[in-house]
Amino acid sequence: MRILLIGANGFIGRFVADRLLADPAVQLTALGRGDDADVRFDLATGSPGALTRFLDAVHPGVVVNCAGATRGGARELTRHNTVAVATVCEALRRSGCGARLVQIGCGSEYGPSQHGSSTAEDAVPRPGGPYGVSKLAATELVLGSGLDAVVLRVFSPAGPGTPAGSPLGRLAEAMRRAMQSGDGELKLGGLGAQRDFIDVRDVARAVHAASLSAAQGVINIGSGRAVRLRDAAAVLARVAGYGGALHELDVPPGPLRGAIGHPRPDSDHTAPTAYPYPDGCGSWQQADVRTARDRLGWRPRIALEESLADIWMEAACRI
């Protein structure tokens, strides 16, 4: 089977590429904006016609789209997360390849949920920020395209390669700096939020399974367990051997320097307003992952402690 992977250089895409390359039955072609892509193409600016001609030439059986943006203003997010997916869908409709589409969605599409609940695929999405809105719009485009398609709504990916701007990435960086400077205490904000963390390697396994399956619609990919960021911080401290005290700030700090859930401001500029939950998901999010089990035969395998150990390993290399 030939699989076309879009976004192979991203956080999730790198591990999807590794997983697919390990399958001897898969012939992988990578399409992206980087020089190391097999084919250079920018979905945000390229035309559906140009992509159609490439699809007809390569004739993939599956197209996996891991491309997208997690940061930026509404216009940039819309261009990279929504317009780009519209290009993919239109190109696939025009092409004669008949490829199946596996689209990477996100848990932010759901928005806030009730504390203690597990969010299933039939929940009404109410994204609480521009990122979730742009991803939900992409999902709706895929579902309404008439294509053989599945959307994997990935909750909070973690593990090796975790972006420094993500909550766990910022937590590891803050701890690294504290250890490097010999600080006996670490003050952080945003530790009360509870998120469903899923290792990126388990996400890659889910993408592989979805590529080979006939499942359509939306499928949640998560651990099925919400973890408080405060608890994740305690595990990371144990893994790192940090013996200092962890103190949670009552309110998000003005300059955001200690808020692990907030984007890092430019050092030369005043920080923007601090929102308690920048991903738009409120204080609680937990996935119902029964559909992934039943339709993909997939279950998470990697515990959060292992994911955190790998995050710390990368952070420690910067000491």
Side-chain angles (χ1 to χ4, degrees), residues 217-243:
V218 174
I219 299 178
N220 289 340
I221 302 298
S223 68
R225 182 173 69 94
V227 175
R228 195 180 302 274
L229 282 172
R230 184 187 304 113
D231 297 332
V235 172
L236 187 63
R238 184 173 70 249
V239 168
Y242 177 67

mmCIF file of all heavy atoms in Angstrom, residues 217-243:
data_model
loop_
_atom_site.group_PDB
_atom_site.id
_atom_site.type_symbol
_atom_site.label_atom_id
_atom_site.label_comp_id
_atom_site.label_asym_id
_atom_site.label_seq_id
_atom_site.Cartn_x
_atom_site.Cartn_y
_atom_site.Cartn_z
ATOM 1 N N GLY A 217 -15.850 8.527 10.020
ATOM 2 C CA GLY A 217 -16.376 9.425 11.047
ATOM 3 C C GLY A 217 -15.283 9.902 11.988
ATOM 4 O O GLY A 217 -14.119 10.023 11.609
ATOM 5 N N VAL A 218 -15.667 10.173 13.223
ATOM 6 C CA VAL A 218 -14.750 10.708 14.236
ATOM 7 C C VAL A 218 -14.427 9.627 15.260
ATOM 8 O O VAL A 218 -15.322 8.899 15.704
ATOM 9 C CB VAL A 218 -15.371 11.930 14.939
ATOM 10 C CG1 VAL A 218 -14.491 12.402 16.097
ATOM 11 C CG2 VAL A 218 -15.592 13.067 13.949
ATOM 12 N N ILE A 219 -13.149 9.532 15.629
ATOM 13 C CA ILE A 219 -12.719 8.575 16.644
ATOM 14 C C ILE A 219 -11.779 9.289 17.607
ATOM 15 O O ILE A 219 -10.780 9.891 17.189
ATOM 16 C CB ILE A 219 -12.009 7.354 16.024
ATOM 17 C CG1 ILE A 219 -12.950 6.607 15.076
ATOM 18 C CG2 ILE A 219 -11.501 6.419 17.113
ATOM 19 C CD1 ILE A 219 -12.320 5.405 14.388
ATOM 20 N N ASN A 220 -12.083 9.227 18.895
ATOM 21 C CA ASN A 220 -11.237 9.837 19.913
ATOM 22 C C ASN A 220 -9.980 9.004 20.147
ATOM 23 O O ASN A 220 -10.050 7.770 20.222
ATOM 24 C CB ASN A 220 -11.973 9.950 21.251
ATOM 25 C CG ASN A 220 -13.070 10.986 21.234
ATOM 26 O OD1 ASN A 220 -13.084 11.885 20.396
ATOM 27 N ND2 ASN A 220 -14.004 10.870 22.166
ATOM 28 N N ILE A 221 -8.857 9.704 20.308
ATOM 29 C CA ILE A 221 -7.595 9.049 20.658
ATOM 30 C C ILE A 221 -7.055 9.726 21.917
ATOM 31 O O ILE A 221 -6.611 10.877 21.888
ATOM 32 C CB ILE A 221 -6.563 9.149 19.515
ATOM 33 C CG1 ILE A 221 -7.123 8.533 18.226
ATOM 34 C CG2 ILE A 221 -5.263 8.464 19.921
ATOM 35 C CD1 ILE A 221 -7.458 7.061 18.322
ATOM 36 N N GLY A 222 -7.126 9.015 23.024
ATOM 37 C CA GLY A 222 -6.649 9.536 24.300
ATOM 38 C C GLY A 222 -6.347 8.375 25.226
ATOM 39 O O GLY A 222 -6.459 7.200 24.846
ATOM 40 N N SER A 223 -5.982 8.690 26.450
ATOM 41 C CA SER A 223 -5.707 7.638 27.429
ATOM 42 C C SER A 223 -6.978 7.189 28.137
ATOM 43 O O SER A 223 -7.016 6.116 28.730
ATOM 44 C CB SER A 223 -4.699 8.135 28.473
ATOM 45 O OG SER A 223 -5.286 9.143 29.283
ATOM 46 N N GLY A 224 -8.016 8.042 28.108
ATOM 47 C CA GLY A 224 -9.238 7.751 28.841
ATOM 48 C C GLY A 224 -9.150 8.119 30.301
ATOM 49 O O GLY A 224 -10.021 7.754 31.092
ATOM 50 N N ARG A 225 -8.097 8.897 30.665
ATOM 51 C CA ARG A 225 -7.911 9.256 32.076
ATOM 52 C C ARG A 225 -7.389 10.685 32.169
ATOM 53 O O ARG A 225 -6.358 11.016 31.586
ATOM 54 C CB ARG A 225 -6.925 8.308 32.738
ATOM 55 C CG ARG A 225 -6.702 8.564 34.226
ATOM 56 C CD ARG A 225 -5.849 7.470 34.830
ATOM 57 N NE ARG A 225 -4.481 7.506 34.350
ATOM 58 C CZ ARG A 225 -3.485 8.130 34.985
ATOM 59 N NH1 ARG A 225 -3.716 8.769 36.127
ATOM 60 N NH2 ARG A 225 -2.257 8.107 34.497
ATOM 61 N N ALA A 226 -8.109 11.518 32.889
ATOM 62 C CA ALA A 226 -7.659 12.895 33.109
ATOM 63 C C ALA A 226 -6.622 12.927 34.224
ATOM 64 O O ALA A 226 -6.775 12.255 35.242
ATOM 65 C CB ALA A 226 -8.840 13.795 33.462
ATOM 66 N N VAL A 227 -5.575 13.712 34.019
ATOM 67 C CA VAL A 227 -4.502 13.848 35.005
ATOM 68 C C VAL A 227 -4.327 15.331 35.319
ATOM 69 O O VAL A 227 -4.222 16.162 34.416
ATOM 70 C CB VAL A 227 -3.179 13.265 34.475
ATOM 71 C CG1 VAL A 227 -2.043 13.530 35.455
ATOM 72 C CG2 VAL A 227 -3.321 11.778 34.193
ATOM 73 N N ARG A 228 -4.289 15.644 36.604
ATOM 74 C CA ARG A 228 -4.060 17.024 37.010
ATOM 75 C C ARG A 228 -2.604 17.400 36.717
ATOM 76 O O ARG A 228 -1.687 16.621 36.972
ATOM 77 C CB ARG A 228 -4.359 17.187 38.496
ATOM 78 C CG ARG A 228 -4.506 18.638 38.954
ATOM 79 C CD ARG A 228 -4.794 18.702 40.441
ATOM 80 N NE ARG A 228 -5.995 17.960 40.800
ATOM 81 C CZ ARG A 228 -7.233 18.455 40.752
ATOM 82 N NH1 ARG A 228 -7.417 19.700 40.355
ATOM 83 N NH2 ARG A 228 -8.261 17.711 41.102
ATOM 84 N N LEU A 229 -2.417 18.591 36.170
ATOM 85 C CA LEU A 229 -1.064 19.030 35.857
ATOM 86 C C LEU A 229 -0.179 19.070 37.104
ATOM 87 O O LEU A 229 1.028 18.846 37.026
ATOM 88 C CB LEU A 229 -1.104 20.399 35.188
ATOM 89 C CG LEU A 229 -1.492 20.387 33.704
ATOM 90 C CD1 LEU A 229 -1.701 21.799 33.196
ATOM 91 C CD2 LEU A 229 -0.431 19.681 32.878
ATOM 92 N N ARG A 230 -0.772 19.333 38.242
ATOM 93 C CA ARG A 230 -0.019 19.309 39.495
ATOM 94 C C ARG A 230 0.567 17.916 39.742
ATOM 95 O O ARG A 230 1.708 17.776 40.186
ATOM 96 C CB ARG A 230 -0.928 19.714 40.656
ATOM 97 C CG ARG A 230 -0.202 19.806 42.000
ATOM 98 C CD ARG A 230 -1.180 20.045 43.142
ATOM 99 N NE ARG A 230 -1.992 21.239 42.933
ATOM 100 C CZ ARG A 230 -3.308 21.222 42.710
ATOM 101 N NH1 ARG A 230 -3.966 20.063 42.669
ATOM 102 N NH2 ARG A 230 -3.970 22.346 42.534
ATOM 103 N N ASP A 231 -0.212 16.880 39.459
ATOM 104 C CA ASP A 231 0.269 15.511 39.642
ATOM 105 C C ASP A 231 1.348 15.169 38.617
ATOM 106 O O ASP A 231 2.314 14.466 38.919
ATOM 107 C CB ASP A 231 -0.892 14.522 39.534
ATOM 108 C CG ASP A 231 -1.923 14.732 40.636
ATOM 109 O OD1 ASP A 231 -1.535 15.208 41.728
ATOM 110 O OD2 ASP A 231 -3.112 14.418 40.411
ATOM 111 N N ALA A 232 1.158 15.658 37.386
ATOM 112 C CA ALA A 232 2.182 15.433 36.361
ATOM 113 C C ALA A 232 3.486 16.109 36.763
ATOM 114 O O ALA A 232 4.581 15.564 36.549
ATOM 115 C CB ALA A 232 1.700 15.964 35.016
ATOM 116 N N ALA A 233 3.377 17.299 37.368
ATOM 117 C CA ALA A 233 4.569 18.004 37.825
ATOM 118 C C ALA A 233 5.292 17.219 38.908
ATOM 119 O O ALA A 233 6.533 17.161 38.937
ATOM 120 C CB ALA A 233 4.183 19.387 38.344
ATOM 121 N N ALA A 234 4.544 16.591 39.803
ATOM 122 C CA ALA A 234 5.157 15.795 40.868
ATOM 123 C C ALA A 234 5.882 14.582 40.291
ATOM 124 O O ALA A 234 6.981 14.225 40.741
ATOM 125 C CB ALA A 234 4.082 15.352 41.866
ATOM 126 N N VAL A 235 5.283 13.937 39.290
ATOM 127 C CA VAL A 235 5.932 12.792 38.653
ATOM 128 C C VAL A 235 7.201 13.243 37.939
ATOM 129 O O VAL A 235 8.250 12.587 38.022
ATOM 130 C CB VAL A 235 4.967 12.106 37.658
ATOM 131 C CG1 VAL A 235 5.700 11.034 36.851
ATOM 132 C CG2 VAL A 235 3.782 11.496 38.388
ATOM 133 N N LEU A 236 7.126 14.371 37.236
ATOM 134 C CA LEU A 236 8.293 14.876 36.529
ATOM 135 C C LEU A 236 9.417 15.220 37.500
ATOM 136 O O LEU A 236 10.594 14.947 37.227
ATOM 137 C CB LEU A 236 7.913 16.096 35.700
ATOM 138 C CG LEU A 236 9.010 16.629 34.770
ATOM 139 C CD1 LEU A 236 9.361 15.585 33.716
ATOM 140 C CD2 LEU A 236 8.575 17.921 34.101
ATOM 141 N N ALA A 237 9.064 15.797 38.650
ATOM 142 C CA ALA A 237 10.076 16.121 39.658
ATOM 143 C C ALA A 237 10.768 14.851 40.151
ATOM 144 O O ALA A 237 11.990 14.831 40.345
ATOM 145 C CB ALA A 237 9.432 16.869 40.820
ATOM 146 N N ARG A 238 9.987 13.790 40.345
ATOM 147 C CA ARG A 238 10.573 12.525 40.793
ATOM 148 C C ARG A 238 11.497 11.943 39.721
ATOM 149 O O ARG A 238 12.599 11.472 40.014
ATOM 150 C CB ARG A 238 9.460 11.536 41.126
ATOM 151 C CG ARG A 238 9.982 10.213 41.697
ATOM 152 C CD ARG A 238 8.871 9.320 42.184
ATOM 153 N NE ARG A 238 8.066 8.774 41.089
ATOM 154 C CZ ARG A 238 6.817 9.113 40.839
ATOM 155 N NH1 ARG A 238 6.204 10.004 41.595
ATOM 156 N NH2 ARG A 238 6.150 8.566 39.835
ATOM 157 N N VAL A 239 11.044 11.986 38.471
ATOM 158 C CA VAL A 239 11.854 11.465 37.369
ATOM 159 C C VAL A 239 13.148 12.266 37.230
ATOM 160 O O VAL A 239 14.226 11.702 37.000
ATOM 161 C CB VAL A 239 11.043 11.521 36.057
ATOM 162 C CG1 VAL A 239 11.947 11.277 34.852
ATOM 163 C CG2 VAL A 239 9.918 10.499 36.074
ATOM 164 N N ALA A 240 13.034 13.590 37.400
ATOM 165 C CA ALA A 240 14.190 14.465 37.216
ATOM 166 C C ALA A 240 15.118 14.471 38.417
ATOM 167 O O ALA A 240 16.265 14.928 38.315
ATOM 168 C CB ALA A 240 13.702 15.887 36.929
ATOM 169 N N GLY A 241 14.632 13.990 39.559
ATOM 170 C CA GLY A 241 15.426 14.057 40.772
ATOM 171 C C GLY A 241 15.446 15.451 41.375
ATOM 172 O O GLY A 241 16.395 15.818 42.084
ATOM 173 N N TYR A 242 14.394 16.220 41.115
ATOM 174 C CA TYR A 242 14.305 17.569 41.670
ATOM 175 C C TYR A 242 13.710 17.486 43.070
ATOM 176 O O TYR A 242 12.573 17.042 43.258
ATOM 177 C CB TYR A 242 13.435 18.446 40.774
ATOM 178 C CG TYR A 242 13.217 19.851 41.311
ATOM 179 C CD1 TYR A 242 14.285 20.742 41.391
ATOM 180 C CD2 TYR A 242 11.961 20.280 41.728
ATOM 181 C CE1 TYR A 242 14.113 22.024 41.872
ATOM 182 C CE2 TYR A 242 11.770 21.570 42.213
ATOM 183 C CZ TYR A 242 12.858 22.434 42.281
ATOM 184 O OH TYR A 242 12.680 23.710 42.764
ATOM 185 N N GLY A 243 14.472 17.934 44.065
ATOM 186 C CA GLY A 243 14.025 17.818 45.441
ATOM 187 C C GLY A 243 13.427 19.080 46.001
ATOM 188 O O GLY A 243 13.077 19.126 47.186
#
